[in-house]
Every structure is written in structure tokens, then in C-alpha cells.
Amino acid sequence: MEKFLSQLGNALSTAWGWVVLILTAAFTFIEPEKTSFIVVGGAVIADLIWGVIAAIKMNKFILSAAFRETLKKVGIYSFALVGALAIEKITHTEGSFIAVRTVAVFAAVCEFWSMSASMLIVYPNMPFLKLFRGQLKGEIKSKVDKNINVDEILKEE
């Protein structure tokens, strides 16, 4: 036990030791609901990719802005998911984590909605996305210059 405490003291005497300790604690905390975190993270990355593809199609350079928005999303969604997980762990130590999953579903749906607008810019005549065309005009307008006619972007090619 004395040797273990000595080695632990050595490890925590460095910055990397503390980084490893904090990361291990964080991953251990979220491990029961890792799927929710993976789904939301995947949705954020997919939205970034579709946003970049749409920007390329419109000859618009927004890469740095897209990365800033992605970092904001990661921070906000992580805070919401970790907060819901913490509340769930306080209320019951075992069982389902319905609050975390609910937050994850809402976050993923929001990202799907944003992603759909970018997909519609890239593929304006895709039948599935055409169903959302009217509802996605506002989302598309937020992604492009406000003075551009959205119908011009969405015209059939």
C-alpha cells in the first residue's frame, strides 16, 4: 500500500498525471451513458461536414466560423448531457437514464434539422428533403447571406 501511495504521489506530481486522472474520472462518470454522448457527438460532426460541403457548393468560406460553432455546440451539449447525468445519478444510482437520453434525442434532432438544411443546399431535388423545403427555408437563410433568395438556391438543377 505504501508503494502504491508513493507511485500515486509521483504520478500526481506532474501535469500529465493530473490530466490523466481528470480524463479517467470524466470517462468513468459518463461511461454508463456513452452511447448518448457518441450519438450527439456524431450528429455534431455530421452537421459540420454537411455545412462545409454546402459552403463549398455556394463558394463561401466559412470553415473557421463552422469550427467555432461546432465548439460551441460541443460545449453546450456536453454541459446539458453531463448535467442531466449528474441529476440522474443523484436521484437514483441504478436504473435507466431517461433524462440523459431525452436530452440526447433533442440534441441529435436539432443537429439533424440543421444538417437537413445543408443537405438541401447540396441536393435541392432530393425527394426526402423536398418534404421539409418549406420548413427549412428559415434554417437555410440563417446559413447563407440574408439578402440571398432561398428559392434561387433550391431551384431544380
Side-chain angles (χ1 to χ4, degrees):
M1 184 68 165
E2 192 174 312
K3 184 175 181 177
F4 171 76
L5 292 176
S6 173
Q7 291 298 327
L8 182 62
N10 289 340
L12 295 179
S13 67
T14 66
W16 281 111
W18 280 99
V19 167
V20 169
L21 176 75
I22 291 168
L23 288 175
T24 302
F27 286 127
T28 302
F29 182 74
I30 68 169
E31 196 279 327
E33 279 299 316
K34 67 180 176 242
T35 304
S36 297
F37 285 85
I38 291 169
V39 168
V40 172
V44 169
I45 291 170
D47 183 41
L48 171 68
I49 291 168
W50 278 104
V52 169
I53 293 169
I56 290 169
K57 181 177 181 193
M58 296 183 310
N59 296 322
K60 185 176 177 186
F61 182 78
I62 61 161
L63 205 52
S64 62
F67 282 121
R68 279 195 305 274
E69 286 300 311
T70 300
L71 287 176
K72 289 177 192 175
K73 288 178 184 181
V74 168
I76 291 167
Y77 293 148
S78 296
F79 182 77
L81 287 168
V82 169
L85 183 58
I87 291 168
E88 291 260 355
K89 285 193 177 210
I90 289 170
T91 57
H92 54 283
T93 56
E94 295 178 20
S96 70
F97 292 91
I98 192 72
V100 177
R101 293 174 185 171
T102 303
V103 170
V105 166
F106 280 121
V109 167
C110 287
E111 289 306 297
F112 172 72
W113 190 254
S114 176
M115 198 183 326
S116 296
S118 297
M119 289 176 186
L120 194 55
I121 291 169
V122 176
Y123 299 112
N125 54 356
M126 180 175 247
F128 174 72
L129 296 173
K130 275 182 160 179
L131 296 172
F132 299 131
R133 180 176 271 182
Q135 289 77 21
L136 287 172
K137 282 185 178 183
E139 184 70 26
I140 292 170
K141 216 169 210 178
S142 73
K143 293 180 179 297
V144 298
D145 188 10
K146 303 284 188 216
N147 298 325
I148 291 178
N149 183 2
V150 174
D151 291 324
E152 189 66 29
I153 293 172
L154 299 178
K155 69 180 178 187
E156 304 275 335
E157 293 177 352

